[in-house]
Amino acid sequence: MLNVESIDSGTVIDHIRAGKGKRVLELLKIGDGFESRVALVMNVPSKKLGKKDIVKIEGFNVTETQANLIALIAPNSSINIIKNKEVANKYTVSPPKELKGVGICGNPSCITNVEYSEKYFKAEGEDAYRCAYCERVFKPEELVR
Ligand SMILES: [Zn+2]
């Protein structure tokens, strides 16, 4: 197995569905300008998922809002906050029942895309969200760009 150096402090996101690790980094706006160490390990064998991606970001703590967005792309991934080489906080993200102020409606003529208004989506079953304004239903991933 590919060995990746552990980090002193920062965030490790594990159990990301294979292929979604890059999207998670994009979502966190971690790209070319980011100066700390970042590791993206793809297609790691996993008992639970078959294959998974792992992301390690030094000197960066994921916020609750970001965790909610990660849940849309990589439900049931686990987020570990590392402090002084130890896991200070660990939680599993699950898709929220409602999204307030986050997410982008996929309907270009929806009022939330045309003029400013608070974005609001409600979960509809396991794998979909309904926009409270235009009432269209989207897959969780479609709300994140
Ligand atoms: Zn809408």
Side-chain angles (χ1 to χ4, degrees):
M1 161 156 176
L2 196 62
N3 212 353
V4 178
E5 261 181 275
S6 53
I7 54 176
D8 292 349
S9 60
T11 302
V12 175
I13 308 169
D14 198 354
H15 301 108
I16 301 170
R17 244 179 245 172
K20 303 293 182 192
K22 201 161 172 272
R23 286 276 283 149
V24 169
L25 286 177
E26 281 168 10
L27 172 74
L28 297 173
K29 308 224 174 350
I30 289 171
D32 289 347
F34 193 75
E35 305 217 321
S36 298
R37 287 191 298 172
V38 179
L40 165 61
V41 191
M42 295 167 70
N43 300 320
V44 179
S46 158
K47 276 188 189 144
K48 209 164 74 178
L49 299 169
K51 279 180 182 174
K52 65 178 182 178
D53 290 357
I54 304 171
V55 163
K56 296 187 183 190
I57 314 157
E58 194 168 67
F60 183 90
N61 288 352
V62 168
T63 64
E64 199 184 326
T65 305
Q66 287 167 330
N68 281 342
L69 291 173
I70 290 169
L72 299 177
I73 293 172
N76 306 312
S77 55
S78 52
I79 298 184
N80 300 283
I81 306 294
I82 313 290
K83 277 180 191 156
N84 300 320
K85 298 187 179 181
E86 284 180 15
V87 178
N89 196 2
K90 179 178 182 136
Y91 51 100
T92 300
V93 295
S94 49
K97 293 262 173 282
E98 54 178 24
L99 289 168
K100 274 187 187 158
V102 290
I104 298 165
C105 181
N107 170 10
S109 52
C110 176
I111 190 159
T112 63
N113 288 322
V114 174
E115 55 186 78
Y116 175 81
S117 67
E118 185 80 347
K119 294 161 186 8
Y120 184 50
F121 300 90
K122 273 190 143 175
E124 186 126 320
E126 286 285 282
D127 204 31
Y129 284 87
R130 184 182 291 278
C131 174
Y133 294 90
C134 69
E135 309 222 305
R136 287 214 201 164
V137 176
F138 300 95
K139 285 198 169 298
E141 275 194 68
E142 293 175 317
L143 304 176
V144 184
R145 259 176 271 163

